[in-house]
Amino acid sequence: MEKIVIIGGVAAGATAAAKARRLSSEAQITILESGPDISFANCGLPYYIGGDIESRSKLILQSPESFNEQYQTAVHINTTVTEIDRKSRIVNAVDSRTGEKKTFEYTKLILAQGGKPIAPPLPGADQEHVFQLWTLDDMDRINSFIENKKPKTAVVVGGGFIGLEMVEALVKRGIKVSVVEMMPHVMAIMEAEIAGSIQEEMLSYGVNILTNKGVSGIGRSNVTLNDGSSIDADMVLLSIGVRPTLKLAQEAGLAMGEAGGLLVDSTLKTSDDNIYAAGDMIELEHRVHGKKVRIPLAGPANRQGRIAAENALGRKHEYKGSIGTSIVRVFEAVAGTTGLSLKGARAAGLNADAIVIHKEHHTSYYPGAEQVTVLVVYDRETGVILGGQTAGYAGADRRLDVIAAAAAAKLTVSDIADMDFAYSPPLGTANDAMNMAAYAAENRISGYSPALTVSEIDTYLEDKEALWIDVRDVFAFEKSHVEGAVNIPLEILPSKLNEIPQNKLIFVYDQTGKKGHQALRTLLGAGFTNVFNVSGGFASLSGYSRAVTPKTFRLELPAPEAKKIGEKNNEEKKSSTTAQIKKEESNGPLVVDVRTAGEFAYGAVPGAVNIPLDELQSRVGELGKKDRKIILYCASGARSAYALQVLKAYGFTDLENGGGLSRMMARARTTGR
């Protein structure tokens, strides 16, 4: 009879035990867990502290009794393994509550000890108001401290996943939070422009972000930084990373790997034929570049636990590795990463490029459309997708999963370009954001649309000067733009080509990259040769500049819109204010803006009145005499063309379609009309 002993519970260990029992009704299965809990939702801890999860009991997935009842598994909690006798196949342990020594025989051993939070040796780190978050007990102590001590300020040390989830939780508890991060931006594993979207969201909720800084000491009510400054801190959370639990394996003489984890083969077998391992303590093969890495995530740990159990019971299930797909939500903003970043791909010796697009997560005309950001990293010669990142308020998770599947299956950008994705106006677009990202990648690979990401530009310009052309409308330009940029809206770009020097390096950008591509094609068609589109446009420039200070260009950004917990943000304006139209005769024409009230409030032609197209027929009586000169315009000229036909049907005779906003603004500046 097989005697399966599993050291460690939670994700990998408990999953391994459950799988082993499903595979064998006869095996003797034992779990030895050093802590008080066998199976709990450790990923849910911050959400209990923040109040999203109201019931603590929902985090307890299994008790020792319920696990034994369901899986006929002997569960020993508060039991610390002190030695693995590989020769005799015996595990020695001690009950941490009573000191009782125990011995367990095994035919196969599965190590699932996971990792432990890194505890930096900081002065003051042992005080009662300093915490880490890893267990239910940690969660309870934090929750009790907040309830009883009512801290007003908190410092979170570390801007990774747990740290940022706790930032949200503490803000929801009414605490003023500061984040201290040693790296240039939070979520250091992500590209700066993706992390920038998270930083902007945090700033909107009043979070103080301090990057490129470390903590040198913790006082009773403050934290001292390595630059000598200090921050108020009634409580401190240390969240700077996780270290694999390897002491027992090392003392047993098991081989360690090059990435700092326990070495296993493709079946998750260690250097001992009778010992398998799974979860955060092992190192594994990255599915994209094939190198050994450590990926301490719950998803891979669960899958590894299943496979280790299968192989311990005589099957041969090879683990294919992981690509490190992970995602975080901070307040309403979401950002995720999978596979390799551009920097990581190039560091691994791959011939990689990347593109960025920003697109509505469902059709723009259906209420609630939110912009989703998609960054795809690919091999520039083969087009094979190596990884990517996404961000947004809706739809980022769906696109991240597509990139993860594509990277794991080694699909190319052309495969994604031709792929059908679910579409319905409330749920997607006819050309999904993933299709558009693939088109942009194909255009960069072929040279049809030369583009650089913002991080590439910031390096590329270190020894060069460039002319920046901003093809957005004047109102967007006036709000914020790259310092020194020239504003030539796309609509009027063809008429301004003779004003642009042919011999300069040119970077062209719009809001999202799409119109920047159109502008680039116009310039290339006119004979310009040294031109690049900014991949992702101003949205990417903005995200990058929120995260880091650019080295080679300057971009002043307005403060993010302030938000409060519980307030609904980004509500659409549903009705317009009634325009006051002068009835008296005038020498000048009446300029009518048929965009929505929200678009009109953003910026309009001086002197124009706003009658949204949907309201035009009900308000036609406000326009006066039928022979009055009326100039209609909208964002692009499409809605105003329709409005012109509506007014013709009502008998108006002197009508003109002025086209888009940018064309009308250029006309107003040159003619005054």
Side-chain angles (χ1 to χ4, degrees), residues 64-77:
E65 295 77 17
S66 67
F67 201 93
N68 185 37
E69 181 179 353
Q70 185 173 354
Y71 297 109
Q72 298 80 56
T73 296
V75 178
H76 299 262
I77 58 173

mmCIF file with all atom_site columns, all heavy atoms in Angstrom, residues 64-77:
data_model
loop_
_atom_site.group_PDB
_atom_site.id
_atom_site.type_symbol
_atom_site.label_atom_id
_atom_site.label_alt_id
_atom_site.label_comp_id
_atom_site.label_asym_id
_atom_site.label_entity_id
_atom_site.label_seq_id
_atom_site.pdbx_PDB_ins_code
_atom_site.Cartn_x
_atom_site.Cartn_y
_atom_site.Cartn_z
_atom_site.occupancy
_atom_site.B_iso_or_equiv
_atom_site.pdbx_formal_charge
_atom_site.auth_seq_id
_atom_site.auth_comp_id
_atom_site.auth_asym_id
_atom_site.auth_atom_id
_atom_site.pdbx_PDB_model_num
ATOM 1   N N   . PRO A 1 64 ? -9.315  20.494 9.226  1.00 0.00 ? 64 PRO A N   1
ATOM 2   C CA  . PRO A 1 64 ? -8.748  19.136 9.270  1.00 0.00 ? 64 PRO A CA  1
ATOM 3   C C   . PRO A 1 64 ? -9.835  18.060 9.300  1.00 0.00 ? 64 PRO A C   1
ATOM 4   O O   . PRO A 1 64 ? -9.729  17.022 8.656  1.00 0.00 ? 64 PRO A O   1
ATOM 5   C CB  . PRO A 1 64 ? -7.920  19.142 10.555 1.00 0.00 ? 64 PRO A CB  1
ATOM 6   C CG  . PRO A 1 64 ? -7.525  20.580 10.721 1.00 0.00 ? 64 PRO A CG  1
ATOM 7   C CD  . PRO A 1 64 ? -8.705  21.368 10.244 1.00 0.00 ? 64 PRO A CD  1
ATOM 8   N N   . GLU A 1 65 ? -10.921 18.340 10.054 1.00 0.00 ? 65 GLU A N   1
ATOM 9   C CA  . GLU A 1 65 ? -11.997 17.361 10.190 1.00 0.00 ? 65 GLU A CA  1
ATOM 10  C C   . GLU A 1 65 ? -12.754 17.184 8.872  1.00 0.00 ? 65 GLU A C   1
ATOM 11  O O   . GLU A 1 65 ? -13.035 16.051 8.437  1.00 0.00 ? 65 GLU A O   1
ATOM 12  C CB  . GLU A 1 65 ? -12.964 17.801 11.297 1.00 0.00 ? 65 GLU A CB  1
ATOM 13  C CG  . GLU A 1 65 ? -12.361 17.822 12.685 1.00 0.00 ? 65 GLU A CG  1
ATOM 14  C CD  . GLU A 1 65 ? -11.466 19.044 12.936 1.00 0.00 ? 65 GLU A CD  1
ATOM 15  O OE1 . GLU A 1 65 ? -11.564 20.030 12.157 1.00 0.00 ? 65 GLU A OE1 1
ATOM 16  O OE2 . GLU A 1 65 ? -10.670 19.005 13.892 1.00 0.00 ? 65 GLU A OE2 1
ATOM 17  N N   . SER A 1 66 ? -13.100 18.320 8.212  1.00 0.00 ? 66 SER A N   1
ATOM 18  C CA  . SER A 1 66 ? -13.862 18.221 6.964  1.00 0.00 ? 66 SER A CA  1
ATOM 19  C C   . SER A 1 66 ? -13.014 17.606 5.857  1.00 0.00 ? 66 SER A C   1
ATOM 20  O O   . SER A 1 66 ? -13.524 16.863 5.015  1.00 0.00 ? 66 SER A O   1
ATOM 21  C CB  . SER A 1 66 ? -14.367 19.605 6.532  1.00 0.00 ? 66 SER A CB  1
ATOM 22  O OG  . SER A 1 66 ? -13.290 20.463 6.167  1.00 0.00 ? 66 SER A OG  1
ATOM 23  N N   . PHE A 1 67 ? -11.708 17.900 5.867  1.00 0.00 ? 67 PHE A N   1
ATOM 24  C CA  . PHE A 1 67 ? -10.831 17.336 4.838  1.00 0.00 ? 67 PHE A CA  1
ATOM 25  C C   . PHE A 1 67 ? -10.715 15.820 5.021  1.00 0.00 ? 67 PHE A C   1
ATOM 26  O O   . PHE A 1 67 ? -10.762 15.054 4.042  1.00 0.00 ? 67 PHE A O   1
ATOM 27  C CB  . PHE A 1 67 ? -9.448  17.988 4.919  1.00 0.00 ? 67 PHE A CB  1
ATOM 28  C CG  . PHE A 1 67 ? -8.648  17.869 3.640  1.00 0.00 ? 67 PHE A CG  1
ATOM 29  C CD1 . PHE A 1 67 ? -8.685  18.868 2.687  1.00 0.00 ? 67 PHE A CD1 1
ATOM 30  C CD2 . PHE A 1 67 ? -7.880  16.747 3.388  1.00 0.00 ? 67 PHE A CD2 1
ATOM 31  C CE1 . PHE A 1 67 ? -7.966  18.768 1.499  1.00 0.00 ? 67 PHE A CE1 1
ATOM 32  C CE2 . PHE A 1 67 ? -7.151  16.627 2.207  1.00 0.00 ? 67 PHE A CE2 1
ATOM 33  C CZ  . PHE A 1 67 ? -7.199  17.640 1.263  1.00 0.00 ? 67 PHE A CZ  1
ATOM 34  N N   . ASN A 1 68 ? -10.597 15.390 6.276  1.00 0.00 ? 68 ASN A N   1
ATOM 35  C CA  . ASN A 1 68 ? -10.507 13.956 6.547  1.00 0.00 ? 68 ASN A CA  1
ATOM 36  C C   . ASN A 1 68 ? -11.805 13.246 6.178  1.00 0.00 ? 68 ASN A C   1
ATOM 37  O O   . ASN A 1 68 ? -11.807 12.150 5.611  1.00 0.00 ? 68 ASN A O   1
ATOM 38  C CB  . ASN A 1 68 ? -10.185 13.724 8.020  1.00 0.00 ? 68 ASN A CB  1
ATOM 39  C CG  . ASN A 1 68 ? -9.971  12.249 8.332  1.00 0.00 ? 68 ASN A CG  1
ATOM 40  O OD1 . ASN A 1 68 ? -9.412  11.509 7.532  1.00 0.00 ? 68 ASN A OD1 1
ATOM 41  N ND2 . ASN A 1 68 ? -10.437 11.814 9.499  1.00 0.00 ? 68 ASN A ND2 1
ATOM 42  N N   . GLU A 1 69 ? -12.920 13.898 6.469  1.00 0.00 ? 69 GLU A N   1
ATOM 43  C CA  . GLU A 1 69 ? -14.221 13.301 6.156  1.00 0.00 ? 69 GLU A CA  1
ATOM 44  C C   . GLU A 1 69 ? -14.413 13.160 4.650  1.00 0.00 ? 69 GLU A C   1
ATOM 45  O O   . GLU A 1 69 ? -14.926 12.149 4.167  1.00 0.00 ? 69 GLU A O   1
ATOM 46  C CB  . GLU A 1 69 ? -15.335 14.157 6.753  1.00 0.00 ? 69 GLU A CB  1
ATOM 47  C CG  . GLU A 1 69 ? -16.725 13.591 6.502  1.00 0.00 ? 69 GLU A CG  1
ATOM 48  C CD  . GLU A 1 69 ? -17.814 14.451 7.123  1.00 0.00 ? 69 GLU A CD  1
ATOM 49  O OE1 . GLU A 1 69 ? -17.479 15.419 7.854  1.00 0.00 ? 69 GLU A OE1 1
ATOM 50  O OE2 . GLU A 1 69 ? -18.991 14.166 6.879  1.00 0.00 ? 69 GLU A OE2 1
ATOM 51  N N   . GLN A 1 70 ? -13.987 14.179 3.895  1.00 0.00 ? 70 GLN A N   1
ATOM 52  C CA  . GLN A 1 70 ? -14.203 14.155 2.453  1.00 0.00 ? 70 GLN A CA  1
ATOM 53  C C   . GLN A 1 70 ? -13.191 13.295 1.722  1.00 0.00 ? 70 GLN A C   1
ATOM 54  O O   . GLN A 1 70 ? -13.524 12.613 0.747  1.00 0.00 ? 70 GLN A O   1
ATOM 55  C CB  . GLN A 1 70 ? -14.169 15.589 1.900  1.00 0.00 ? 70 GLN A CB  1
ATOM 56  C CG  . GLN A 1 70 ? -14.493 15.689 0.415  1.00 0.00 ? 70 GLN A CG  1
ATOM 57  C CD  . GLN A 1 70 ? -14.618 17.132 -0.053 1.00 0.00 ? 70 GLN A CD  1
ATOM 58  O OE1 . GLN A 1 70 ? -14.574 18.068 0.754  1.00 0.00 ? 70 GLN A OE1 1
ATOM 59  N NE2 . GLN A 1 70 ? -14.778 17.316 -1.349 1.00 0.00 ? 70 GLN A NE2 1
ATOM 60  N N   . TYR A 1 71 ? -11.919 13.336 2.190  1.00 0.00 ? 71 TYR A N   1
ATOM 61  C CA  . TYR A 1 71 ? -10.856 12.668 1.443  1.00 0.00 ? 71 TYR A CA  1
ATOM 62  C C   . TYR A 1 71 ? -10.162 11.542 2.216  1.00 0.00 ? 71 TYR A C   1
ATOM 63  O O   . TYR A 1 71 ? -9.181  10.986 1.724  1.00 0.00 ? 71 TYR A O   1
ATOM 64  C CB  . TYR A 1 71 ? -9.803  13.704 1.015  1.00 0.00 ? 71 TYR A CB  1
ATOM 65  C CG  . TYR A 1 71 ? -10.343 14.744 0.073  1.00 0.00 ? 71 TYR A CG  1
ATOM 66  C CD1 . TYR A 1 71 ? -10.523 16.054 0.503  1.00 0.00 ? 71 TYR A CD1 1
ATOM 67  C CD2 . TYR A 1 71 ? -10.687 14.427 -1.242 1.00 0.00 ? 71 TYR A CD2 1
ATOM 68  C CE1 . TYR A 1 71 ? -11.025 17.026 -0.357 1.00 0.00 ? 71 TYR A CE1 1
ATOM 69  C CE2 . TYR A 1 71 ? -11.195 15.387 -2.107 1.00 0.00 ? 71 TYR A CE2 1
ATOM 70  C CZ  . TYR A 1 71 ? -11.360 16.688 -1.653 1.00 0.00 ? 71 TYR A CZ  1
ATOM 71  O OH  . TYR A 1 71 ? -11.852 17.640 -2.500 1.00 0.00 ? 71 TYR A OH  1
ATOM 72  N N   . GLN A 1 72 ? -10.653 11.212 3.396  1.00 0.00 ? 72 GLN A N   1
ATOM 73  C CA  . GLN A 1 72 ? -10.049 10.158 4.223  1.00 0.00 ? 72 GLN A CA  1
ATOM 74  C C   . GLN A 1 72 ? -8.531  10.362 4.316  1.00 0.00 ? 72 GLN A C   1
ATOM 75  O O   . GLN A 1 72 ? -7.727  9.472  4.033  1.00 0.00 ? 72 GLN A O   1
ATOM 76  C CB  . GLN A 1 72 ? -10.363 8.760  3.671  1.00 0.00 ? 72 GLN A CB  1
ATOM 77  C CG  . GLN A 1 72 ? -11.843 8.411  3.634  1.00 0.00 ? 72 GLN A CG  1
ATOM 78  C CD  . GLN A 1 72 ? -12.552 9.020  2.430  1.00 0.00 ? 72 GLN A CD  1
ATOM 79  O OE1 . GLN A 1 72 ? -12.134 8.788  1.305  1.00 0.00 ? 72 GLN A OE1 1
ATOM 80  N NE2 . GLN A 1 72 ? -13.609 9.787  2.652  1.00 0.00 ? 72 GLN A NE2 1
ATOM 81  N N   . THR A 1 73 ? -8.176  11.560 4.736  1.00 0.00 ? 73 THR A N   1
ATOM 82  C CA  . THR A 1 73 ? -6.776  11.960 4.850  1.00 0.00 ? 73 THR A CA  1
ATOM 83  C C   . THR A 1 73 ? -6.478  12.372 6.286  1.00 0.00 ? 73 THR A C   1
ATOM 84  O O   . THR A 1 73 ? -7.224  13.168 6.875  1.00 0.00 ? 73 THR A O   1
ATOM 85  C CB  . THR A 1 73 ? -6.472  13.142 3.901  1.00 0.00 ? 73 THR A CB  1
ATOM 86  O OG1 . THR A 1 73 ? -6.646  12.704 2.558  1.00 0.00 ? 73 THR A OG1 1
ATOM 87  C CG2 . THR A 1 73 ? -5.059  13.651 4.085  1.00 0.00 ? 73 THR A CG2 1
ATOM 88  N N   . ALA A 1 74 ? -5.417  11.853 6.835  1.00 0.00 ? 74 ALA A N   1
ATOM 89  C CA  . ALA A 1 74 ? -5.000  12.242 8.183  1.00 0.00 ? 74 ALA A CA  1
ATOM 90  C C   . ALA A 1 74 ? -4.305  13.601 8.120  1.00 0.00 ? 74 ALA A C   1
ATOM 91  O O   . ALA A 1 74 ? -3.286  13.742 7.442  1.00 0.00 ? 74 ALA A O   1
ATOM 92  C CB  . ALA A 1 74 ? -4.069  11.196 8.762  1.00 0.00 ? 74 ALA A CB  1
ATOM 93  N N   . VAL A 1 75 ? -4.875  14.569 8.808  1.00 0.00 ? 75 VAL A N   1
ATOM 94  C CA  . VAL A 1 75 ? -4.339  15.928 8.766  1.00 0.00 ? 75 VAL A CA  1
ATOM 95  C C   . VAL A 1 75 ? -3.789  16.282 10.142 1.00 0.00 ? 75 VAL A C   1
ATOM 96  O O   . VAL A 1 75 ? -4.506  16.234 11.144 1.00 0.00 ? 75 VAL A O   1
ATOM 97  C CB  . VAL A 1 75 ? -5.419  16.943 8.347  1.00 0.00 ? 75 VAL A CB  1
ATOM 98  C CG1 . VAL A 1 75 ? -4.841  18.353 8.354  1.00 0.00 ? 75 VAL A CG1 1
ATOM 99  C CG2 . VAL A 1 75 ? -5.986  16.595 6.978  1.00 0.00 ? 75 VAL A CG2 1
ATOM 100 N N   . HIS A 1 76 ? -2.516  16.662 10.168 1.00 0.00 ? 76 HIS A N   1
ATOM 101 C CA  . HIS A 1 76 ? -1.865  17.062 11.417 1.00 0.00 ? 76 HIS A CA  1
ATOM 102 C C   . HIS A 1 76 ? -1.459  18.532 11.292 1.00 0.00 ? 76 HIS A C   1
ATOM 103 O O   . HIS A 1 76 ? -0.508  18.867 10.585 1.00 0.00 ? 76 HIS A O   1
ATOM 104 C CB  . HIS A 1 76 ? -0.625  16.200 11.684 1.00 0.00 ? 76 HIS A CB  1
ATOM 105 C CG  . HIS A 1 76 ? -0.928  14.747 11.834 1.00 0.00 ? 76 HIS A CG  1
ATOM 106 N ND1 . HIS A 1 76 ? -1.059  14.123 13.056 1.00 0.00 ? 76 HIS A ND1 1
ATOM 107 C CD2 . HIS A 1 76 ? -1.136  13.777 10.895 1.00 0.00 ? 76 HIS A CD2 1
ATOM 108 C CE1 . HIS A 1 76 ? -1.322  12.843 12.866 1.00 0.00 ? 76 HIS A CE1 1
ATOM 109 N NE2 . HIS A 1 76 ? -1.370  12.608 11.561 1.00 0.00 ? 76 HIS A NE2 1
ATOM 110 N N   . ILE A 1 77 ? -2.197  19.414 11.947 1.00 0.00 ? 77 ILE A N   1
ATOM 111 C CA  . ILE A 1 77 ? -1.853  20.834 11.925 1.00 0.00 ? 77 ILE A CA  1
ATOM 112 C C   . ILE A 1 77 ? -0.902  21.147 13.075 1.00 0.00 ? 77 ILE A C   1
ATOM 113 O O   . ILE A 1 77 ? -0.702  20.331 13.983 1.00 0.00 ? 77 ILE A O   1
ATOM 114 C CB  . ILE A 1 77 ? -3.110  21.729 12.005 1.00 0.00 ? 77 ILE A CB  1
ATOM 115 C CG1 . ILE A 1 77 ? -3.912  21.414 13.277 1.00 0.00 ? 77 ILE A CG1 1
ATOM 116 C CG2 . ILE A 1 77 ? -3.971  21.544 10.756 1.00 0.00 ? 77 ILE A CG2 1
ATOM 117 C CD1 . ILE A 1 77 ? -5.077  22.364 13.514 1.00 0.00 ? 77 ILE A CD1 1
#
